[in-house]
Amino acid sequence: MYEYSVAADELKDESEEESESEEEDESFMDEVDQLRKDGGVSIRALKGGVIREGVEPDSEKVGNLRAGEVFEILEEATTKAGQQRIRMSRGWVSMTAKSGKPLCVEEAAVQLLLSKVPLLQNLDEKERARVADVLEGEEVEPNMPIVVAGDPGEYMYFLEKGEAKADVKGEVVMRYARGDYFGELALLTDQPRKATVTSGPDGARCLKLGRAAFDEFASKCTAILEQRQSMYEYSVAADELKDESEE
């Protein structure tokens, strides 16, 4: 019973922290806005793309955008079909791929996210830059699964925009706001996903870090990863004891 009490207290504290996610999200946005004011609006290309002479997708190709390239926005426009375009020094590029996945994200948000996530605090500047270079983007429709319990874990996720929640057997065990991360335990333990994480009512945009890149820096983040794993194990233990008591 003592272990159950400890687990319950841990989860209570955790839930109280999560209830502040809205305020934390606003704080994250305020800091991003400040970075914009300090250094203009720069964009990071998550994937390679085409640079065109004009706004419309049938305009002449004038170059290629490199994955990981960071550039300043000179102008913004919308195509006749309603797609967002931005102009850089070499021409016009799209913010999204044909599949709907984001091709570009604001560099201020990426850098702030990487600097704020406790998991990455032990990495030096070059290592964090390496993480930024290999991030992939994923746009998720409202109320859709981002990861599903039982599936193998190939990515961990940083929530760049929107909200999400994790549930185990239909019960919400965690809520995430912009700047939070999840999915690292499946990579750490090499076991299937234990929870299903679903986007919020306004959808979500995630930055994904693959297993190979995760393995590169995980050894430097052992203490934090072990803490996250312990928190999860407390949660599982509490659920199991709760189920036993109900029986």
Side-chain angles (χ1 to χ4, degrees):
M1 291 300 293
Y2 172 74
E3 290 181 356
Y4 176 79
S5 175
V6 171
D9 288 342
E10 292 270 350
L11 290 173
K12 180 181 178 182
D13 292 342
E14 192 172 301
S15 65
E16 289 174 349
E17 291 174 1
E18 291 301 323
S19 68
E20 300 173 357
S21 62
E22 185 174 346
E23 288 80 1
E24 292 173 353
D25 186 49
E26 291 177 357
S27 176
F28 185 89
M29 285 300 298
D30 289 343
E31 292 188 60
V32 170
D33 288 339
Q34 186 59 51
L35 284 174
R36 290 171 181 160
K37 293 175 183 177
D38 292 343
V41 181
S42 294
I43 295 293
R44 173 178 289 271
L46 296 175
K47 289 183 177 294
V50 175
I51 303 173
R52 297 191 180 277
E53 183 178 28
V55 174
E56 297 300 328
D58 59 354
S59 63
E60 183 180 353
K61 175 182 175 181
V62 294
N64 293 301
L65 187 66
R66 302 184 306 276
E69 184 174 351
V70 177
F71 57 91
E72 186 176 348
I73 294 180
L74 301 180
E75 187 179 352
E76 297 183 61
T78 304
T79 68
K80 295 176 182 178
Q83 298 171 322
Q84 185 181 3
R85 295 287 190 272
I86 51 178
R87 184 169 69 85
M88 60 179 302
S89 60
R90 306 200 309 278
W92 290 88
V93 298
S94 175
M95 288 290 285
T96 58
K98 293 181 180 179
S99 63
K101 291 186 177 182
L103 289 176
C104 303
V105 294
E106 284 196 39
E107 176 66 1
V110 172
Q111 292 303 322
L112 185 60
L113 186 150
L114 294 181
S115 68
K116 292 289 186 181
V117 172
L119 183 62
L120 305 178
Q121 293 303 298
N122 289 336
L123 303 184
D124 61 32
E125 187 175 341
K126 288 184 178 180
E127 289 167 328
R128 278 202 292 268
R130 162 64 179 157
V131 172
D133 285 343
V134 296
L135 288 174
E136 300 177 35
E138 181 173 338
E139 198 84 28
V140 185
E141 294 295 318
N143 304 308
M144 294 298 290
I146 302 172
V147 301
V148 177
D151 284 356
E154 295 300 330
Y155 293 92
M156 69 169 292
Y157 296 79
F158 302 94
L159 192 56
E160 196 270 324
K161 182 180 179 181
E163 299 176 347
K165 62 180 180 179
D167 69 84
V168 177
K169 299 178 181 178
E171 182 176 351
V172 176
V173 297
M174 188 76 75
R175 294 185 184 275
Y176 302 104
R178 189 175 191 181
D180 289 337
Y181 64 97
F182 55 89
E184 76 286 355
L185 291 180
L187 300 184
L188 179 66
T189 62
D190 200 24
Q191 294 181 358
R193 302 284 188 191
K194 300 297 185 182
T196 294
V197 178
T198 306
S199 62
D202 296 323
R205 183 164 65 221
C206 298
L207 302 178
K208 306 191 302 184
L209 186 68
R211 178 180 292 276
F214 176 86
D215 289 342
E216 281 187 29
F217 73 81
S219 61
K220 293 194 175 184
C221 309
T222 304
I224 294 173
L225 287 170
E226 287 178 349
Q227 182 182 37
R228 295 273 289 194
Q229 187 173 4
S230 296
M231 289 171 64
Y232 173 76
E233 288 173 351
Y234 269 130
S235 176
V236 172
D239 288 340
E240 289 177 349
L241 288 170
K242 180 181 178 181
D243 291 342
E244 289 176 5
S245 65
E246 289 175 351
E247 291 175 0

